[in-house]
Amino acid sequence: MQKLKQQVFDANMDLPRNGLVTFTWGNASAIDRERGLVVIKPSGIAYGNMKSDDMVVVDLQGNRVEGPWCPSSDTATHLALYRRYPQLGGVVHTHSTYATAWAQAGLAIPALGTTHADYFFGDIPCTRALSEEEVQEEYELNTGKVIVETLGTSDPLHTPGIVVYQHGPFTWGKDAADAVHHAVVMEAVARMAWIARSINPALKPIDTYLMNKHFMRKHGPNAYYGQ
Amino acid sequence: MQKLKQQVFDANMDLPRNGLVTFTWGNASAIDRERGLVVIKPSGIAYGNMKSDDMVVVDLQGNRVEGPWCPSSDTATHLALYRRYPQLGGVVHTHSTYATAWAQAGLAIPALGTTHADYFFGDIPCTRALSEEEVQEEYELNTGKVIVETLGTSDPLHTPGIVVYQHGPFTWGKDAADAVHHAVVMEAVARMAWIARSINPALKPIDTYLMNKHFMRKHGPNAYYGQ
Amino acid sequence: MQKLKQQVFDANMDLPRNGLVTFTWGNASAIDRERGLVVIKPSGIAYGNMKSDDMVVVDLQGNRVEGPWCPSSDTATHLALYRRYPQLGGVVHTHSTYATAWAQAGLAIPALGTTHADYFFGDIPCTRALSEEEVQEEYELNTGKVIVETLGTSDPLHTPGIVVYQHGPFTWGKDAADAVHHAVVMEAVARMAWIARSINPALKPIDTYLMNKHFMRKHGPNAYYGQ
Amino acid sequence: MQKLKQQVFDANMDLPRNGLVTFTWGNASAIDRERGLVVIKPSGIAYGNMKSDDMVVVDLQGNRVEGPWCPSSDTATHLALYRRYPQLGGVVHTHSTYATAWAQAGLAIPALGTTHADYFFGDIPCTRALSEEEVQEEYELNTGKVIVETLGTSDPLHTPGIVVYQHGPFTWGKDAADAVHHAVVMEAVARMAWIARSINPALKPIDTYLMNKHFMRKHGPNAYYGQ
């Protein structure tokens, strides 16, 4: 687990480095699929003082297996995603400015250009509001469930992130570094989408064939971008 | 007082470090409740040249007790807050961009998401305009009074900051570092709220039960966040 | 070619340094007109690991002549510009935030002030949408063709950049460094134009005689600016 | 003149350091009133390579007295201000983003809060458009004249800056450092004013008595701020 702890630590440290996290407002995790164990940031530890050995190991039911601290308060959300989607290797949550603004606006981040389509195949969805009951009982688990409900059966690596209504972004990927990468991308396209719509409220979404081209030249079976 | 001077010095230096203060447009203070003495930034000293020994000590009536300089021009505002609310250990004033823009707009910063609700239990209020008389006589004291009038009997640690109409933000906390922390939070949520409303002018405030959940999981009697 | 490789490497490294490129979202190239060879960034190599010897040399038909990697996926776009405009010595492509927002908005970046007129003689055009067929077959070549179609017979050094619809900016110049310079300028004026129109939606474009004065005092036959 | 050259050099270097200048888009000058000589940045020299000995000395009619380079293209504008207002010791011109956006919008930067009123006694005016003739003949001199026409007989140290229509900001002060200080302030209040009006298009200008209080407690005969 030492290697995975290091990867999760590095992923967590990359969040403030990329301007996505203030104070402790974020967390990254990764999973060892063979052993069914998840490594995640400890709760409430300042980034400046964190070491890789502070990372917490939990099983997929949330029982602490290793580590001196409580796991992040958002652990139940991460676990719900790992349980539902076997493709996922890493998950990230932040309160990054622009993605969070879309979450507060209660709107999907629209696919407006190729920057978006290079990573997200279509709009970045916004979840429905949780009910009062869902918030009061097992809030963090229900946050995971509403993400799963919103994604449904679509490939989570084709929509590697979402905004949770009135809360903020969650992203994921094949490992922790990939989830961080998608958090950076989502913040960038959230910012561009805000500015583009401010410039031209009547703009049109990206042409479907252009979106297909860009997503597929990077992620399709005949990908040639970045090869 | 040496330790408190160091804390107040550190808090003042954290303001430009966090992008909240240009030139000398801000000040932080803290109080020693046992001795009834307040340590505050000196007036008009550039941050680059300030040392912890430059901090000024005043009593709760504003008489200088120690230090080579005049206390900040805003001292009377800080003192009014310390006198009224025994819970306060530190106070900060800045002209940070986004919070000041809300102050100029004359509007409360609305509670739109969990980033806000993790620290502020409801909107961040905007004071009424001071009258001509209040500005001409004891302006800085009256600024403190209008903050107190706006907060009323609500717990100041549940609303750890305010924007003063056409002026800018004041924040507070259990000590000087906590007041700085709240100044950073207010600037972040002021920025997000501006962008969110620009994206969707018809957005709704955060659901009350979601606000309660987030505030109380950090600050309530059964807090579990960051433990 | 060693000197040109170094220039192209430096130009590529200047893109993230100027905040124009995140991850690998950009590329710079330059041409040796005598030998008819173009040096361009390799495809998908992270900026942090790139060396000048990683630059790829291709001929004007896109055949690789030298270098261990595939050339940038956007090579065909660069080559179309070099073939059509003998004045060009360098080309740059980025997804910089503000210029890309105008591309997503589908609008030319309007000439609103002297900052713009010091470098661009008139609006910075936005291309038409590519057809489905143009995207599916030889997409990158057709991106070059639609830029040429939009510029037409105007002097490309009087309009040293363009935004490609729903994609992002391309800029060019007498060499790679000049193309980077124009990418920085376009991002700056794209940002100013957004803010200026947000302040005053009814603003007027720059007076033609003021635009002429500024462009010509720098680029005209009797230029005296910066001499 | 060595000391004044150093001050002007330092002022010029402070412009990119404060994020006000990209490339060579700015210049600072200062005057030795006893000798009637002005020191100004040379034309078109990159900030990175500039030394204090590169500063150019001209007389009030613009004749070069000392220095290896041509003076800034904007010299005639600076000189017009020094000739008209004996109170001025330094002048700065930039194309800083937010102030330039107001210039492009063709609007005065409104006095909306105390940050503004601490330095500017009322709105920051925007000049009228220059006529075609004024642009074609002695453009830089006419830029100075239209600033003077706009300021009229008001105290230039009570309005230590202006935006020139479709161009950008000029600021001034008792020396070069003071003019830089005002350039930083104008950019900050230009940004705040944009955001504040975006939040609340119906906001009101700062109450006159509050503006008076803030300006006068810093600059009036009984100033007590920063003492």
Side-chain angles (χ1 to χ4, degrees), chain C residues 171-209:
Chain C
T171 58
W172 42 80
K174 58 183 179 6
D175 54 30
D178 200 36
V180 172
H181 197 96
H182 292 139
V184 174
V185 173
M186 194 200 288
E187 185 66 357
V189 299
R191 186 180 180 205
M192 284 176 181
W194 166 52
I195 299 168
R197 296 211 323 178
S198 165
I199 290 171
N200 183 3
L203 58 71
K204 290 191 300 180
I206 187 168
D207 291 324
T208 309
Y209 50 86

Side-chain angles (χ1 to χ4, degrees), chain A residues 125-201:
Chain A
C126 181
T127 66
R128 65 165 172 81
L130 291 176
S131 69
E132 183 160 4
E133 201 185 342
E134 287 170 323
V135 167
Q136 279 165 357
E137 299 293 325
E138 306 201 288
Y139 167 57
E140 291 83 6
L141 172 61
N142 287 326
T143 299
K145 284 186 176 171
V146 80
I147 295 173
V148 167
E149 173 190 323
T150 309
L151 280 179
T153 56
S154 56
D155 182 342
L157 296 180
H158 284 202
T159 306
I162 208 169
V163 292
V164 174
Y165 181 58
Q166 295 186 338
H167 188 155
F170 281 82
T171 58
W172 41 80
K174 59 181 179 6
D175 55 29
D178 200 35
V180 171
H181 197 95
H182 292 139
V184 174
V185 173
M186 194 200 289
E187 184 67 357
V189 299
R191 186 180 180 203
M192 285 176 180
W194 166 53
I195 299 168
R197 296 210 324 177
S198 164
I199 291 171
N200 182 2

Side-chain angles (χ1 to χ4, degrees), chain A residues 18 112-116 118-119 180-181 184-185 188-189 191-196 198-200 203-207 209-210 213-214 217-218 224-227, chain C residues 22-25 43-44 70 73-74 95-98 100-102 104-107 129-133 135-136 138-140 165-168 190 194 197-198:
Chain A
N18 281 289
L112 298 179
T114 61
T115 321
H116 184 115
D118 280 336
Y119 295 92
V180 171
H181 197 95
V184 174
V185 173
V189 299
R191 186 180 180 203
M192 285 176 180
W194 166 53
I195 299 168
S198 164
I199 291 171
N200 182 2
L203 56 71
K204 291 192 298 179
I206 187 169
D207 291 324
Y209 51 87
L210 183 58
K213 175 70 181 181
H214 267 263
R217 77 173 187 171
K218 274 194 83 156
Y224 61 91
Y225 178 93
Q227 304 305 306
Chain C
T22 305
F23 301 131
T24 61
W25 307 351
S43 181
C70 286
S73 311
D74 296 311
H95 287 227
S96 65
T97 302
Y98 298 97
T100 302
W102 283 92
Q104 292 183 351
L107 296 175
L130 292 177
S131 70
E132 183 161 3
E133 200 184 344
V135 167
Q136 278 165 357
E138 306 201 287
Y139 167 57
E140 292 82 5
Y165 181 57
Q166 296 186 337
H167 188 154
W194 166 52
R197 296 211 323 178
S198 165

Side-chain angles (χ1 to χ4, degrees), chain B residues 148-171:
Chain B
V148 167
E149 173 190 322
T150 309
L151 280 178
T153 55
S154 56
D155 183 341
L157 295 180
H158 284 203
T159 306
I162 208 169
V163 291
V164 174
Y165 181 59
Q166 296 186 337
H167 189 156
F170 282 82
T171 57

